[in-house]
């Protein structure tokens, strides 16, 4: 029978373009469940990102500076291979609404098929963040809406530098 590893390491993967307070809530809660949490930014996504991987990692590092057991990294290729490389047996993902479920189920089952020893664990998004996504934050900001309280202050500052608010 397999036993629990002495040191539980989890990967929290994502695009994080940019990090939101929803991601941060998941990091805060997830970091209490494991010995080490590696927040991993996907490189070479098919999506056209607003921020480079380095910029996203910088914003993440600033945001998680207060968590002793959280580190920030990036990965290319298969997530499960990165997990194995880092000796992680858990993948942490958040679920906001039913609409997230189908994609998350596909990924979790594919990842399990690729590496059965890596388990995906889901946390429900906090109710205050269940509507929040990086894409919505960028859209609302671009159209002049108020995003304070939705992202860390440093992210809001970088959005101001990067996006010109559209005038009607
Ligand atoms: O924040 P996102 O964009 O929902 O994160 C998606 C992510 C990074 C978890 C997913 O795209 C991923 O794991 N990509 C790595 C490639 C991979 O392993 N694909 C096969 C698993 S389905």
């Amino acid at each position: 029978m397999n036993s629990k590893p002495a040191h539980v390491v989890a990967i929290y993967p994502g695009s994080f373009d940019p990090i939101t307070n929803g991601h941060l809530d998941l990091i805060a809660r997830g970091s209490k469940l494991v010995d080490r949490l590696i927040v991993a930014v996907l490189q070479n996504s098919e999506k056209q990102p607003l921020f480079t991987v380095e910029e996203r990692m910088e914003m993440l590092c600033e945001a998680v500076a207060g968590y002793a057991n959280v580190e920030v990294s990036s990965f290319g290729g298969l997530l499960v291979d990165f997990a194995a490389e880092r000796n992680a047996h858990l993948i942490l993902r958040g679920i906001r609404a039913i609409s997230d479920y189908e994609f998350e189920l596909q990924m979790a089952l594919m990842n399990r098929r690729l590496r059965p020893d890596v388990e995906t664990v889901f946390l429900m998004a906090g109710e205050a963040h269940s509507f929040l996504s990086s894409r919505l934050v960028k859209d609302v900001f671009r159209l002049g809406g108020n995003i304070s309280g939705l992202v860390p202050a440093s992210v809001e500052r970088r959005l101001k530098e990067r996006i010109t608010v559209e005038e009607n």
Side-chain angles (χ1 to χ4, degrees):
M1 202 170 77
N2 287 339
S3 56
K4 179 185 148 308
H7 193 74
V8 179
V9 181
I11 309 277
Y12 177 34
S15 305
F16 304 112
D17 185 41
I19 187 172
T20 68
N21 286 349
H23 296 127
L24 269 181
D25 174 53
L26 217 82
I27 291 169
R29 288 157 54 211
S31 65
K32 289 187 202 147
L33 305 175
V34 298
D35 294 297
R36 191 147 60 95
L37 181 64
I38 303 170
V39 184
V41 179
L42 175 67
Q43 302 159 355
N44 306 326
S45 159
E46 283 163 21
K47 298 178 196 168
Q48 239 344 305
L50 176 65
F51 294 104
T52 65
V53 170
E54 291 69 30
E55 287 171 325
R56 284 179 264 161
M57 287 177 70
E58 274 171 31
M59 289 185 268
L60 276 163
C61 284
E62 287 165 22
V64 305
Y67 299 93
N69 67 336
V70 177
E71 70 177 86
V72 176
S73 188
S74 69
F75 73 103
L78 286 175
L79 172 60
V80 286
D81 290 346
F82 176 71
E85 218 174 86
R86 304 300 298 266
N87 269 318
H89 289 94
L90 292 185
I91 293 170
L92 179 68
R93 290 286 286 173
I95 294 218
R96 289 163 300 190
I98 286 285
S99 49
D100 282 340
Y101 178 80
E102 201 170 328
F103 177 56
E104 295 299 332
L105 177 70
Q106 277 180 347
M107 282 204 299
L109 294 183
M110 179 58 81
N111 285 334
R112 188 190 294 162
R113 187 192 161 98
L114 293 169
R115 278 199 190 257
D117 55 332
V118 177
E119 198 65 68
T120 305
V121 173
F122 296 101
L123 289 184
M124 294 300 156
E127 61 273 29
H129 306 113
S130 56
F131 64 96
L132 191 51
S133 73
S134 301
R135 187 183 57 77
L136 263 187
V137 164
K138 287 181 281 191
D139 283 354
V140 169
F141 185 84
R142 188 172 283 118
L143 297 170
N146 181 4
I147 56 154
S148 62
L150 302 182
V151 293
S154 71
V155 172
E156 198 173 344
R157 202 169 51 244
R158 285 185 192 238
L159 281 168
K160 283 187 182 135
E161 288 164 9
R162 185 60 50 90
I163 295 182
T164 315
V165 174
E166 290 173 17
E167 303 287 346
N168 282 325

